[in-house]
Amino acid sequence: MAAISTYLADKLFNHVLRNEVYTPPAKVYLALYTTDPTAAGTGTEVSGAGYARQEIAFDASASRATSNTAAVEFPKATANWGTVTHWGLKDADTAGNLLYFGALTAPITINANNYFKTEAGDLDLSAT
């Protein structure tokens, strides 16, 4: 289940309810975490060893839901990344702001020479 970050919730409330301009990012990136990023964006993102956030795209929203349009594959790990427990959507390929986040269905240990891949339609977002 996905959750919205504090950053994005504040931007959307202010945009819709206070007429403050919010410019959405031109691209969105999938990030992997070894701890829960929380709504505040304070988790531990994987770093080094060949890791890099990957661009991700989503279908048009229908009935308050969407999912990723294509598979997303991360580069081969050149050393152990640890146990990936969470994902996050960021508004930049480095640094940037957390937009949405969630836990993986099951933690995945990424060792050297392993890949992380999510198939099209595997990352679902919904507004409830």
Side-chain angles (χ1 to χ4, degrees):
M1 183 169 167
I4 191 168
S5 71
T6 301
Y7 166 83
L8 185 57
D10 288 345
K11 291 293 183 186
L12 292 175
F13 281 136
N14 289 333
H15 179 73
V16 174
L17 303 174
R18 299 187 66 211
N19 199 29
E20 292 182 11
V21 175
Y22 169 67
T23 303
K27 297 179 181 181
V28 176
Y29 297 87
L30 179 60
L32 303 177
Y33 290 83
T34 58
T35 63
D36 186 350
T38 75
T42 57
T44 304
E45 185 176 354
V46 173
S47 65
Y51 171 81
R53 294 177 191 164
Q54 298 300 300
E55 188 176 339
I56 187 169
F58 288 86
D59 292 319
S61 177
S63 300
R64 302 181 320 185
T66 186
S67 61
N68 59 309
T69 59
V72 177
E73 186 171 320
F74 284 75
K76 180 171 65 172
T78 58
N80 296 347
W81 289 358
T83 301
V84 176
T85 60
H86 290 76
W87 57 268
L89 298 179
K90 304 282 279 201
D91 62 5
D93 60 348
T94 59
N97 301 291
L98 181 66
L99 305 172
Y100 291 95
F101 65 99
L104 297 181
T105 303
I108 299 172
T109 301
I110 305 294
N111 293 316
N113 299 315
N114 289 160
Y115 293 89
F116 181 93
K117 181 179 180 180
T118 185
E119 297 295 339
D122 278 354
L123 205 158
D124 300 314
L125 300 176
S126 63
T128 55

